Every structure is written in structure tokens, then in C-alpha cells.
């Protein structure tokens, strides 16, 4: 009885890698299992597709499906963002990852507030954006911190809700009151 249990355990241990490999390969699609549209999007990976880890193949397939569902405008925007990403230094990419991670850890209300502020800034005339960027760049680190703290304490919404609109009659005004 003891020998039978030992043989069974040894046999299962020897077969374990085969079970794992079979389970992984069943979830990750082979190249010929992809749709024609997915194959077109993933063409740069065709030669090495079968050597990619299953998780990577699944992520790539998911990305290809997302790409297919995008409008032409969304695709153009995604291409532009990818181009910017490719032109970043490794340090800039790491900083972007860290900022994104910090953003993802914020409560949904704060994420939404930051999105509204970013949209508000994006909608400003280019001259006003340049003016605000220059003002920010000329601030000391202490002024940056003070500015950030004021914005974090005030939950009343983006700058346009608190007098930060780019009104021509008050061109020098910036920041919360």
C-alpha cells in the first residue's frame, strides 16, 4: 500500500509540468485560432507568437480586440500616445508608470475631478496654457507644494469652479482664491 501511494505521488509529480503546460496552452490562443482581424493587428508578433508566454498572448489578443472596437479617431489618438511613449526615456516611462499607479489608487471621485481639470486645461487656448505652464515652471518647490495642498484640500471641483477660468479681464490671475 505504501509503495502504491509513493508511486502514485511520484507519477503525479512527474506529470505535473505536462498538466501545467496543457492548462496554459489551452487558455492562450495559437496563431491560427486568432481571427483574421486580430492576426492583422498582431502581425508584428506572428513569427514569435508561439514562443510568447501565454499571459502575454492573452494580453495581446485582448489589446487587438480593443483596437478593433475603436473608432478611427480613437485609433489615431492611441497611435499618437504610443508614439509619445516610444519617444520617452526609460526614466520618463518609469515616472509615467508611477503617476498612473498613484492615480489608480485615488478614490473614483478624485480621479474624476482630475479628469475634469485636465479637460479644462486642454480646452484653454494654447497661449493661456503656455502662460500657466511658464508660471508653474517659475514656482519654487515650496510654492508647488503649497499649490498642490490647496487643490487637494478644496473638493469643490476643478479650477473653473473656483475662479480659475481664463477670463480676459483678469489675465494674471491663477490658482485657487
Amino acid at each position: 500500500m505504501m509503495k502504491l501511494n509513493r508511486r502514485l505521488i511520484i507519477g503525479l509529480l512527474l506529470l505535473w509540468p505536462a498538466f501545467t503546460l496543457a492548462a496554459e496552452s489551452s487558455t492562450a490562443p495559437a496563431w491560427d485560432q486568432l481571427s483574421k482581424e486580430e492576426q492583422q493587428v498582431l502581425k508584428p508578433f506572428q513569427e514569435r507568437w508561439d514562443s510568447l508566454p501565454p499571459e502575454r498572448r492573452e494580453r495581446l489578443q485582448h489589446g487587438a480586440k480593443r483596437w478593433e472596437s475603436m473608432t478611427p479617431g480613437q485609433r489615431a489618438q492611441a497611435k499618437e500616445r504610443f508614439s509619445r511613449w516610444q519617444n520617452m526615456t526609460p526614466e520618463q516611462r518609469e515616472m509615467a508608470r508611477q503617476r498612473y499607479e498613484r492615480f489608480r489608487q485615488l478614490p473614483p471621485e478624485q480621479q474624476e475631478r482630475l479628469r475634469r481639470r485636465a479637460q479644462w486645461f486642454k480646452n484653454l487656448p494654447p497661449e493661456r496654457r503656455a502662460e500657466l505652464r511658464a508660471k508653474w515652471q517659475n514656482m519654487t518647490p515650496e510654492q508647488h507644494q503649497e499649490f498642490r495642498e490647496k487643490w487637494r484640500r478644496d473638493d469643490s471641483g476643478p479650477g473653473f469652479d473656483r475662479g480659475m477660468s481664463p477670463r480676459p479681464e483678469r489675465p494674471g490671475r491663477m490658482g485657487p482664491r
Side-chain angles (χ1 to χ4, degrees):
M1 180 73 165
M2 193 70 126
K3 280 187 171 186
L4 179 62
N5 283 343
R6 190 179 307 174
R7 284 184 186 160
L8 182 61
I9 291 171
I10 290 172
L12 288 174
L13 287 175
L14 290 173
L15 290 174
W16 184 260
F19 290 136
T20 306
L21 186 60
E24 286 179 352
S25 65
S26 67
T27 58
W31 183 258
D32 58 352
Q33 291 175 315
L34 297 172
S35 70
K36 294 290 182 208
E37 294 81 13
E38 290 170 337
Q39 287 179 356
Q40 182 64 33
V41 171
L42 298 171
K43 188 125 179 99
F45 299 96
Q46 183 176 6
E47 294 300 317
R48 63 182 196 269
W49 183 260
D50 292 330
S51 65
L52 293 173
E55 308 82 41
R56 178 96 192 270
R57 285 187 276 168
E58 288 176 17
R59 281 196 317 268
L60 287 168
Q61 183 185 25
H62 177 72
K65 286 179 182 175
R66 279 191 13 228
W67 181 262
E68 291 173 32
S69 69
M70 289 180 180
T71 64
Q74 290 170 325
R75 287 180 182 182
Q77 192 176 40
K79 283 180 182 178
E80 192 272 327
R81 286 181 180 157
F82 184 66
S83 175
R84 269 191 295 161
W85 180 260
Q86 286 181 315
N87 291 326
M88 286 180 167
T89 65
E91 295 80 20
Q92 290 171 322
R93 288 181 185 185
E94 183 56 33
M95 286 179 62
R97 285 183 190 104
Q98 289 172 2
R99 281 194 310 267
Y100 178 72
E101 190 54 40
R102 282 196 321 261
F103 177 79
R104 296 276 297 155
Q105 291 178 6
L106 292 173
E109 313 80 53
Q110 286 183 322
Q111 288 181 16
E112 183 55 35
R113 193 172 91 203
L114 288 172
R115 284 186 188 103
R116 285 195 317 263
R117 286 181 181 170
Q119 189 61 45
W120 170 81
F121 186 80
K122 186 178 177 182
N123 290 336
L124 289 175
E127 314 80 48
R128 181 68 174 137
R129 284 196 312 260
E131 178 186 323
L132 292 175
R133 278 192 188 103
K135 191 167 187 170
W136 175 261
Q137 290 170 348
N138 291 325
M139 287 182 178
T140 66
E142 294 79 21
Q143 289 171 321
H144 286 169
Q145 188 59 34
E146 181 183 327
F147 185 81
R148 285 186 193 108
E149 287 172 7
K150 284 181 183 178
W151 278 72
R152 285 185 187 123
R153 278 195 310 264
D154 189 350
D155 281 343
S156 64
F160 57 80
D161 290 340
R162 296 192 320 269
M164 283 193 59
S165 62
R167 292 179 281 191
E169 67 273 9
R170 300 178 68 189
R173 177 94 173 121
M174 184 186 121
R177 294 182 188 206

